[in-house]
Amino acid sequence: SGLGVKVCATGLYTYPDVVATGDEPRFDDIQVETLLNPKIIVEVLSPSTEIWNRGKKFEHYRNIPSLREYVLISQDHVMVEKFAINADGQWALSDFRTLDDVLVLDSISCQMKLSDIYARIDFSASSEAGYRLLPDCKSALRSTHEAFD
């Protein structure tokens, strides 16, 4: 996304694929392009980042008081996972596995069909590691989902 996120509680600086806030953005004094109050963070999973994004990185993100939804998008098949914090402070998982499914992002009043998220993705180009997103997948996701900004 070009916009970084700082987890104040742990000191982690990171650059999610997509980040959004429905509130007035607050930025780090030292790194003005670093957001302190995201409501939503989206990561596109790759073989080299999947374990980090699902594990320790999400552990860090859960220390951000403003964060309400964390979305993981698979790049080798149709699957979007949304973790949302509930009224009890627990993170609940919803997963979406068909192109007709609709991802609802309550914290920013946004919804989108998975067919829009994966609109520019060619799953027919396979390799030894399985299916791959087209090289411009992240830009395709960004341009398709300007509602995140």
Side-chain angles (χ1 to χ4, degrees), residues 77-79 96-103 112-119 121 123:
H77 61 287
V78 176
M79 186 162 87
F96 307 89
R97 296 173 182 260
T98 73
L99 292 174
D100 291 327
D101 287 341
V102 176
L103 172 65
M112 63 197 77
K113 289 181 75 170
L114 268 60
S115 60
D116 291 330
I117 293 172
Y118 287 100
I121 309 309
F123 289 113

Side-chain angles (χ1 to χ4, degrees), residues 7 10-12 52 55-64:
V7 182
T10 67
L12 177 75
W52 167 242
K56 286 290 189 185
K57 194 174 199 182
F58 187 31
E59 185 179 321
H60 283 277
Y61 284 161
R62 290 192 304 262
N63 288 288
I64 301 173

Side-chain angles (χ1 to χ4, degrees), residues 22-141:
D23 300 323
E24 185 68 29
R26 290 186 310 112
F27 296 99
D28 185 54
D29 290 337
I30 299 167
Q31 302 286 333
V32 293
E33 69 279 352
T34 303
L35 187 65
L36 299 175
N37 63 330
K39 279 196 173 182
I40 295 175
I41 294 176
V42 179
E43 299 284 6
V44 177
L45 301 175
S46 71
S48 64
T49 65
E50 184 168 3
I51 292 172
W52 167 242
N53 287 333
R54 290 183 180 283
K56 286 290 189 185
K57 194 174 199 182
F58 187 31
E59 185 179 321
H60 283 277
Y61 284 161
R62 290 192 304 262
N63 288 288
I64 301 173
S66 61
L67 189 64
R68 294 291 166 257
E69 293 168 303
Y70 182 54
V71 179
L72 300 173
I73 299 175
S74 178
Q75 70 167 295
D76 60 359
H77 61 287
V78 176
M79 186 162 87
V80 174
E81 296 165 280
K82 179 182 87 169
F83 295 87
I85 196 162
N86 63 27
D88 296 327
Q90 301 297 312
W91 288 90
L93 170 64
S94 301
D95 60 2
F96 307 89
R97 296 173 182 260
T98 73
L99 292 174
D100 291 327
D101 287 341
V102 176
L103 172 65
V104 177
L105 301 171
D106 295 313
S107 63
I108 60 168
S109 302
C110 176
Q111 55 183 305
M112 63 197 77
K113 289 181 75 170
L114 268 60
S115 60
D116 291 330
I117 293 172
Y118 287 100
R120 294 172 156 180
I121 309 309
D122 179 8
F123 289 113
S124 66
S126 63
S127 68
E128 290 178 15
Y131 296 107
R132 295 279 181 237
L133 288 177
L134 294 173
D136 68 343
C137 71
K138 290 178 184 172
S139 63
L141 288 168

